[in-house]
Amino acid sequence: MKIIILGAGQVGSSLAENLASEANDITLVDQREEVLQGLQDRLDLRTVIGHASHPEVLQRAGADDADMLIAVTDSDETNMVACQVAYTVFHTPTKIARVRALEYLNYKNLFSPAALPIDVLISPEQLITNYVQSLINHPGALQVLDFADGLVQLVGVRAYYGGPLVGHELRTLRQHMPGVEARVAAIYRRGRPIIPEGHTVIEADDEVFFIAASANIRTVMSELRRLDKPYKRIMIVGGGNIGKRVAQALERKYQVKLIDHNPERTRLISNELDKTMVLCGDAADEELLLEENIDKTDVFCALTNDDEANILSSMLAKRLGARKAITLINRAAYVDLIQSGVIDIALSPQQSTIGSLLAHVRRGDVVKVHSLRRGAAEAIEAIAHGDINTSKVVGRKIEELKLPPGTTIGAIVRGKEVIIAHHDTLIESDDHVILFLVDKARIPDVERLFQVSVTFI
């Protein structure tokens, strides 16, 4: 695909890196020559210097025959205008924009062909909010990802000593949980992927990704680790867009405290939040944390836009007795550094944003993409179309499919029915197939598998 990316910030450059490695024709537009030069030296892409929404700049970037425009500059207004220009002047088929301000997002009728012709809206703040909410609703999970409108979930957990399934072969899973269907999609042991087979033995400290119907998630988790008690008390650091949204999402169900160092900001958000206790202070202040009973806090969420402040306050909170620490990290290099240390879960806004963007770039009918393991692995929801003559998957059992190495089919959703995949499961047309790929380089093979031949009408 010929793709123009506007903005070479953290999301734009990470996205360019992801897509350039998949043999797409990428052009990156930004006003900072030194940033573009650094990316051009490292990646196989074109760069254009200029203002992202100017028609002349877009023309130089190749908008005349581009398949897709992805506007992820720091300015909502620039992103929106760029999509309008791409639609009106260049008739670009697919236009994706990152829009952060709720003042725009609250008016859905703004984003339509008759108004602002944006095909897909991306809001990193909302994606992170949903992600934090799902982690808090599933105590003990490292990742919780939804597929098929929430009917199926892929959950990552760390196996504990003493878990009923730890030290046993995967084939015994069904004996442990009669009546509950689940499938282990991947295991990471000391950072390396292991393709799960029936004879694979789960070891303590393995990172295990499994797929199950949403209603069965807690039962499966109990096989791999001691079940964490449901969370009650949440402490959030940072009253910015993300911190405020997370507090709004959680305050009806949990006891929430929010700390921000800006007096004006704390006054403002205390009027906007109903049940959250809003405190003005420094989250790295030991006395303040002790005063606010940090040792009785179930989850400490550091969600400011300062990575160092998030990391230090999370480490302090854990030392003072907080059960779990969830930390927002913008720099990709920091994520690997801190996760699996003192901090329990590191959130990367770029990875969340990139996952939601990738679903629109994938060929074949791919409706959902989740980027995992800092972009190295992917979980995909693809729809099977055609019949036994026109499709490489429809009318075939899973054992008959030529799946790329390191790829597992975890589940199939047929209508509202969740079918956990077995070797003899037959795929039908319109099935939603959920796949896990430990190696992102195999994505083109999976896309080809789900493309319908030209004879299909």
Side-chain angles (χ1 to χ4, degrees):
M1 291 179 83
K2 188 170 182 184
I3 301 168
I4 300 172
I5 299 172
L6 308 179
Q10 283 169 328
V11 169
S13 51
S14 300
L15 185 63
E17 196 166 343
N18 267 270
L19 297 178
S21 66
E22 295 173 22
N24 292 293
D25 181 357
I26 306 294
T27 304
L28 191 58
V29 178
D30 200 279
Q31 289 179 294
R32 297 163 298 169
E33 189 176 355
E34 69 286 357
V35 173
L36 290 178
Q37 189 59 56
L39 287 164
Q40 198 168 17
D41 292 345
R42 210 157 45 82
L43 304 171
D44 179 21
L45 48 73
R46 278 183 66 230
T47 58
V48 172
I49 301 159
H51 195 282
S53 61
H54 289 176
E56 175 268 331
V57 174
L58 291 175
Q59 189 158 31
R60 278 195 286 130
D64 286 316
D65 60 348
D67 298 303
M68 183 180 287
L69 177 116
I70 302 174
V72 286
T73 74
D74 287 339
S75 161
D76 286 355
E77 291 74 17
T78 300
N79 296 340
M80 293 190 290
V81 171
C83 288
Q84 180 71 68
V85 172
Y87 172 78
T88 308
V89 180
F90 302 107
H91 313 295
T92 307
T94 306
K95 300 154 296 295
I96 298 174
R98 175 172 67 178
V99 179
R100 288 173 155 162
L102 281 172
E103 289 77 4
Y104 292 127
L105 294 170
N106 286 338
Y107 294 90
K108 296 293 176 211
N109 54 349
L110 263 180
F111 307 102
S112 67
L116 283 165
I118 297 170
D119 301 300
V120 183
L121 273 174
I122 300 287
S123 168
E125 287 82 358
Q126 194 54 50
L127 291 168
I128 287 288
T129 301
N130 297 345
Y131 195 15
V132 172
Q133 205 176 348
S134 64
L135 287 169
I136 287 171
N137 289 338
H138 294 86
L142 297 170
Q143 269 189 307
V144 182
L145 307 169
D146 282 346
F147 292 97
D149 298 323
L151 285 173
V152 176
Q153 288 178 319
L154 174 74
V155 178
V157 294
R158 195 169 298 286
Y160 269 33
Y161 287 103
L165 197 61
V166 175
H168 293 90
E169 293 186 345
L170 283 180
R171 71 179 90 225
T172 64
L173 187 61
R174 213 182 272 183
Q175 297 160 24
H176 280 259
M177 298 182 301
V180 174
E181 286 271 318
R183 173 84 189 258
V184 172
I187 297 168
Y188 285 86
R189 186 168 296 158
R190 293 180 280 283
R192 298 177 68 85
I194 294 169
I195 306 303
E197 309 277 356
H199 55 77
T200 306
V201 175
I202 293 178
E203 294 181 7
D205 225 32
D206 281 355
E207 203 175 316
V208 181
F209 285 91
F210 68 86
I211 289 176
S214 302
N216 296 331
I217 293 299
R218 203 160 160 77
T219 310
V220 184
M221 282 177 71
S222 68
E223 288 298 309
L224 296 162
R225 52 180 292 124
R226 293 186 304 278
L227 269 184
D228 292 41
K229 287 183 192 150
Y231 300 140
K232 283 187 194 167
R233 299 176 187 85
I234 316 294
M235 189 178 284
I236 296 168
V237 178
N241 283 333
I242 295 177
K244 186 183 83 173
R245 283 193 201 187
V246 170
Q248 278 171 330
L250 298 176
E251 65 179 0
R252 302 212 181 288
K253 201 172 163 190
Y254 302 94
Q255 296 169 29
V256 181
K257 291 180 181 179
L258 186 149
I259 302 173
D260 194 279
H261 61 83
N262 183 326
E264 201 175 313
R265 183 70 186 160
T266 48
R267 266 196 302 277
L268 186 71
I269 55 178
S270 64
N271 293 328
E272 292 180 29
L273 295 168
D274 295 330
K275 297 185 171 182
T276 302
M277 183 190 288
V278 181
L279 305 162
C280 184
D282 179 4
D285 178 351
E286 191 169 339
E287 278 182 35
L288 173 65
L289 293 181
L290 289 169
E291 249 173 60
E292 295 305 325
N293 302 319
I294 188 68
D295 57 325
K296 294 187 174 64
T297 298
D298 295 314
V299 187
F300 181 90
C301 300
L303 304 173
T304 76
N305 56 7
D306 181 333
D307 285 356
E308 287 80 3
N310 289 345
I311 292 166
L312 290 171
S313 62
S314 298
M315 289 171 80
L316 179 63
K318 284 284 284 186
R319 187 170 66 78
L320 296 174
R323 264 173 71 190
K324 278 273 184 313
I326 296 176
T327 310
L328 189 69
I329 306 286
N330 283 292
R331 285 197 194 181
Y334 284 4
V335 177
D336 287 331
L337 197 65
I338 67 151
Q339 187 144 321
S340 78
V342 179
I343 292 165
D344 300 285
I345 296 168
L347 300 177
S348 164
Q350 293 95 287
Q351 287 306 328
S352 298
T353 308
I354 286 163
S356 57
L357 285 167
L358 288 175
H360 306 285
V361 179
R362 297 275 170 258
R363 294 173 185 81
D365 195 351
V366 173
V367 290
K368 203 78 174 262
V369 176
H370 288 294
S371 191
L372 301 132
R373 303 285 306 174
R374 273 67 80 199
E378 268 186 25
I380 292 176
E381 178 184 339
I383 303 176
H385 292 297
D387 57 31
I388 195 155
N389 300 315
T390 56
S391 165
K392 297 186 185 80
V393 294
V394 173
R396 292 167 175 82
K397 294 176 181 175
I398 286 174
E399 63 188 359
E400 295 168 354
L401 302 182
K402 292 187 176 73
L403 289 173
T407 304
T408 37
I409 292 179
I412 291 164
V413 179
R414 189 170 294 155
K416 295 284 179 193
E417 184 192 2
V418 177
I419 302 160
I420 297 302
H422 297 292
H423 66 96
D424 56 353
T425 305
L426 193 74
I427 296 176
E428 295 179 7
S429 187
D430 296 328
D431 280 355
H432 286 239
V433 182
I434 293 137
L435 305 101
F436 191 101
L437 292 84
V438 297
D439 181 3
K440 200 170 74 70
R442 300 290 180 182
I443 282 157
D445 301 336
V446 173
E447 290 174 340
R448 279 193 290 275
L449 203 59
F450 280 85
Q451 282 174 332
V452 180
S453 73
V454 287
T455 53
F456 178 62
I457 310 255

